[in-house]
Amino acid sequence: MLHFQFIEYFLTLSVIPIIIFLNYSIVRWKKDATKRLGDPSLVKQLVINYSSKKFFTKFSLFTLGFVLCGVALAGLVIPDGSQKIKRKGIDVMFALDVSKSMLAQDVKPNRLERAKQVISNIINSSPDDRIGIVVFAGRAYLQMPLTTDHAAARMYLASASPDDIPTQGTVISQALKMSGASFNPKDKTYKSIVLLSDGEDHDKEALKVVKQLTSEGISINTIGIGSSDGAPIADPETGKYKIDEKGNVIISKLNQPELKEIAEKGKGIYQHYTTTDQVATNIKQRLSGMGSTVISDKSFDSYRQFFQYFLAIALLLLVLESFISEKKRMKKKIIVTGLSLFLLVTSSFGQNINNTIKKGNDAFKQGDYDKAESFYQDAQKKDEKNTIASYNIGNVFYRKEKTDEAVDAFNATIKNTKDNSVKQKAFYNKGVSYQKENKLPECIVAYKNALILNPNDEDARQNLQRALKEQKQNEDKKDDKKDDKKDDKKDKKDQKQQQDQKQDQKKEEPRPQPSKISRQDAEEKLKSLLEKEKALQEKLHKIKGSDGIDRPEKDW
């Protein structure tokens, strides 16, 4: 859509009324001067070669040239960078089990880390596929929607942990539902879910969900992580193995039959984890056998500029105005000179800053980020406030993991651009850069600004929710540490008070007096106390047995 980048330069057109007033004043002065010279008929003979029409033409050419210069400064552009990049691939959603049972170490270092390695390996060998990630335990969450940005996918994958989901368990049905909902319902083929889990605590609804997904053209492959013998679950908070209510160490075992059944009903394959490369290769071969579809993706590159055309016409008009005489005749060679100047000016604008930016874009697509950075910097030297160059330099710095430099570049883009779509993309990329460095307050502000400019940006909304969630978890951990310190201080204070009381009691304690009760009476009283205590214990036992409270069966 055509629009102006720098509308503030239209203020220069406010000079036009002044120019018109000056021209009117000159015409009025000429008429008054002619009257003062003498006889009108005689004066007319003296200025017979003067042409008022040519004077008006000169004024019109000058005024129009000035207006075109103002329009050129405003910068008329049309988006030329939202080009569709077509690639052949499939859509793959990874459903990753992050329950605490995945921390079992029957697969070293633990089940979860091996599952992450398998996913990363598949992503690396699938450059043209769109990737999405769902994490689940007692509930399922969409961690990353389908995207071709594999670098972002690896970043989200690395941060997945049991801490992401407070509710423990293994609800495979919810994970499959959320994965299926992430696909485009219009596409009936080239869609697959890869489920990685130990299968423990499998819910009965999973097979119903599998049947529904296969009817929608989605295949389901499963990868079992763990062993049939099982292993204890290490609790990262205590550093000890988890135990049940009876004090026995919990052994988490791989539930292969359930995972095999899901793969069979889902028209996929089941793989028991042996080695990362072997499992990833088998799954990738299975996915490749599905065929592929053309995937269109958009990338923001540049704008097509039109300022040079306005400037060229303005210069031509101003040159012609300078050659036009107020006399009635005009020599032909003046016209030829003007046309020659027009061609010269037009050709001089043939090479512009966009050529440099396009060279940088080509280098960026090829992965040569150093070369791309050099081209973008050359473009900035020609125009320091070029927002396209600063935006693309920010992307280069992000790829080169220079987060601070990337944020500075995106800030420069936000400051200099008047285009809200460019500003929104810069805010979003700024948020991603901050989130990579775990600077949660800064990335939250950036995502909010991006959503203000474009409330329909689902990626910004998902990333904002994740950042807010991480920030809340960090604040809860800080509050827990503060409470622990307060409790420690209180315990120490209570202990000191108890010690002081004991010392005071010792000082004030009276000396024992000889007992006046007989031995037989003492034995009878002791027997009575024991019978009362036994009755009290039986009563308490009955109360505890009928409290009606449901105890949690498991938290792993």
Side-chain angles (χ1 to χ4, degrees):
M1 181 177 178
L2 283 169
H3 66 278
F4 290 95
Q5 281 187 302
F6 311 106
I7 57 176
E8 63 270 16
Y9 286 113
F10 279 121
L11 291 174
T12 58
L13 301 183
S14 61
V15 182
I16 298 299
I18 299 175
I19 295 175
I20 294 174
F21 174 76
L22 291 175
N23 177 73
Y24 171 78
S25 300
I26 292 172
V27 172
R28 184 77 177 266
W29 174 79
K30 284 184 177 182
K31 289 181 178 180
D32 292 341
T34 301
K35 290 178 181 179
R36 288 195 298 268
L37 286 175
D39 183 33
S41 59
L42 182 61
V43 172
K44 187 176 182 180
Q45 291 294 324
L46 292 173
V47 295
I48 192 170
N49 290 329
Y50 172 76
S51 174
S52 58
K53 291 183 179 179
K54 287 188 176 180
F55 178 81
F56 179 75
T57 301
K58 285 172 63 69
F59 166 74
S60 300
L61 290 175
F62 176 81
T63 305
L64 183 58
F66 187 86
V67 170
L68 290 175
C69 286
V71 174
L73 287 173
L76 182 66
V77 296
I78 187 171
D80 190 30
S82 295
Q83 59 182 9
K84 287 185 178 180
I85 302 173
K86 293 184 177 180
R87 53 184 76 179
K88 289 186 176 181
I90 61 175
D91 292 343
V92 182
M93 287 297 301
F94 290 99
L96 176 61
D97 185 353
V98 294
S99 60
K100 290 183 179 179
S101 64
M102 291 292 285
L103 298 177
Q105 298 178 358
D106 48 358
V107 178
K108 299 295 184 180
N110 60 52
R111 298 173 182 175
L112 181 58
E113 288 302 317
R114 286 301 184 186
K116 289 182 182 181
Q117 291 173 10
V118 171
I119 296 175
S120 180
N121 198 314
I122 296 174
I123 292 174
N124 291 337
S125 59
S126 309
D128 295 331
D129 294 342
R130 283 193 297 191
I131 303 298
I133 300 174
V134 168
V135 294
F136 70 96
R139 292 185 64 184
Y141 294 92
L142 178 63
Q143 191 177 41
M144 190 188 74
L146 285 168
T147 180
T148 54
D149 189 352
H150 291 184
R154 283 188 285 269
M155 181 183 72
Y156 281 113
L157 178 64
S159 63
S161 73
D163 295 333
D164 293 341
I165 302 177
T167 306
Q168 288 300 305
T170 310
V171 285
I172 293 177
S173 59
Q174 284 191 24
L176 294 176
K177 281 183 183 178
M178 185 160 291
S179 298
S182 301
F183 293 114
N184 185 350
K186 295 180 180 179
D187 297 335
K188 296 300 181 184
T189 55
Y190 314 117
K191 299 181 290 186
S192 182
I193 298 173
V194 179
L195 173 69
L196 299 95
S197 174
D198 52 21
E200 189 169 351
D201 198 25
H202 167 58
D203 56 309
K204 298 177 181 179
E205 293 293 322
L207 294 178
K208 295 180 182 179
V209 178
V210 170
K211 184 178 180 180
Q212 176 64 30
L213 294 176
T214 52
S215 66
E216 297 173 4
I218 302 172
S219 67
I220 304 171
N221 301 285
T222 59
I223 300 175
I225 311 290
S227 64
S228 300
D229 296 333
I233 304 170
D235 191 338
E237 296 179 359
T238 62
K240 299 178 181 180
Y241 290 131
K242 294 188 71 65
I243 57 175
D244 58 19
E245 294 180 348
K246 296 180 180 180
N248 299 320
V249 175
I250 297 169
I251 302 297
S252 173
K253 298 180 180 181
L254 172 64
N255 192 348
Q256 287 196 86
E258 300 293 350
L259 295 174
K260 286 181 179 179
E261 188 175 7
I262 290 173
E264 182 181 351
K265 300 289 185 182
K267 298 181 181 180
I269 61 171
Y270 168 75
Q271 287 285 292
H272 177 221
Y273 180 84
T274 51
T275 64
T276 300
D277 292 338
Q278 181 180 349
V279 174
T281 301
N282 293 340
I283 293 294
K284 182 55 186 173
Q285 287 177 351
R286 179 71 178 186
L287 296 176
S288 301
M290 295 173 56
S292 60
T293 184
V294 176
I295 298 173
S296 295
D297 198 12
K298 289 184 178 180
S299 63
F300 175 78
D301 288 329
S302 183
Y303 286 97
R304 185 182 176 188
Q305 305 276 353
F306 294 99
F307 76 92
Q308 61 268 31
Y309 303 111
F310 293 101
L311 195 57
I313 296 171
L315 290 175
L316 172 64
L317 295 177
L318 293 175
V319 170
L320 288 177
E321 186 276 335
S322 66
F323 278 101
I324 292 176
S325 172
E326 294 181 12
K327 294 182 179 181
K328 290 184 178 180
R329 291 182 180 180
M330 181 177 178
K331 294 182 180 181
K332 292 183 179 180
K333 61 181 179 180
I334 295 176
I335 299 175
V336 174
T337 304
L339 290 174
S340 301
L341 285 171
F342 171 73
L343 294 174
L344 179 64
V345 170
T346 304
S347 62
S348 67
F349 282 95
Q351 300 294 330
N352 55 60
I353 197 171
N354 276 349
N355 292 333
T356 306
I357 292 178
K358 286 181 179 179
K359 290 178 181 179
N361 293 341
D362 293 338
F364 185 88
K365 291 173 185 176
Q366 294 172 4
D368 191 347
Y369 302 129
D370 292 333
K371 191 174 181 181
E373 180 183 352
S374 177
F375 279 120
Y376 294 143
Q377 287 179 342
D378 289 342
Q380 273 197 318
K381 289 177 182 178
K382 296 176 184 177
D383 182 5
E384 293 182 357
K385 293 186 177 181
N386 188 288
T387 56
I388 309 305
S390 61
Y391 178 88
N392 288 353
I393 283 178
N395 290 335
V396 169
F397 284 141
Y398 176 80
R399 295 288 185 180
K400 296 174 71 174
E401 298 185 354
K402 295 181 179 180
T403 307
D404 293 338
E405 290 85 344
V407 169
D408 292 340
F410 294 134
N411 284 335
T413 304
I414 294 166
K415 179 181 178 181
N416 295 325
T417 187
K418 301 297 180 181
D419 188 336
N420 284 340
S421 64
V422 178
K423 189 177 291 187
Q424 191 269 341
K425 290 182 177 70
F427 271 122
Y428 175 81
N429 285 4
K430 180 180 174 183
V432 173
S433 301
Y434 276 133
Q435 195 165 19
K436 186 177 181 181
E437 294 294 316
N438 202 29
K439 296 181 178 180
L440 298 180
E442 293 86 348
C443 83
I444 288 171
V445 172
Y447 287 141
K448 286 182 178 179
N449 287 328
L451 286 169
I452 290 172
L453 295 170
N454 181 12
N456 296 323
D457 190 339
E458 193 60 29
D459 290 343
R461 190 180 305 280
Q462 292 285 346
N463 289 356
L464 175 60
Q465 290 176 353
R466 177 174 174 78
L468 290 170
K469 177 183 173 184
E470 290 181 3
Q471 187 182 51
K472 188 177 183 304
Q473 289 176 349
N474 293 340
E475 290 175 353
D476 290 342
K477 289 180 181 179
K478 289 181 180 179
D479 292 340
D480 290 342
K481 290 182 179 179
K482 290 181 180 179
D483 292 340
D484 291 342
K485 289 182 179 179
K486 289 180 180 179
D487 291 340
D488 291 340
K489 290 181 179 179
K490 186 178 179 181
D491 291 341
K492 290 180 180 178
K493 186 176 180 181
D494 291 342
Q495 290 177 0
K496 187 176 180 182
Q497 289 178 351
Q498 290 177 1
Q499 290 176 356
D500 293 341
Q501 289 177 357
K502 287 180 180 180
Q503 290 177 357
D504 293 340
Q505 288 175 358
K506 288 181 179 179
K507 292 177 181 179
E508 299 173 1
E509 190 176 54
R511 293 182 180 180
Q513 297 294 326
S515 177
K516 296 180 181 180
I517 189 170
S518 66
R519 181 174 180 178
Q520 184 179 356
D521 292 338
E523 288 178 352
E524 288 178 357
K525 286 187 177 183
L526 177 61
K527 184 178 179 181
S528 176
L529 288 172
L530 289 174
E531 288 177 354
K532 288 181 180 181
E533 183 180 358
K534 183 178 179 181
L536 180 61
Q537 290 292 341
E538 289 176 355
K539 187 177 180 180
L540 289 174
H541 183 72
K542 289 180 180 179
I543 293 172
K544 288 181 179 179
S546 60
D547 60 1
I549 299 175
D550 294 331
R551 309 296 180 188
E553 294 183 3
K554 58 173 287 184
D555 65 343
W556 67 92

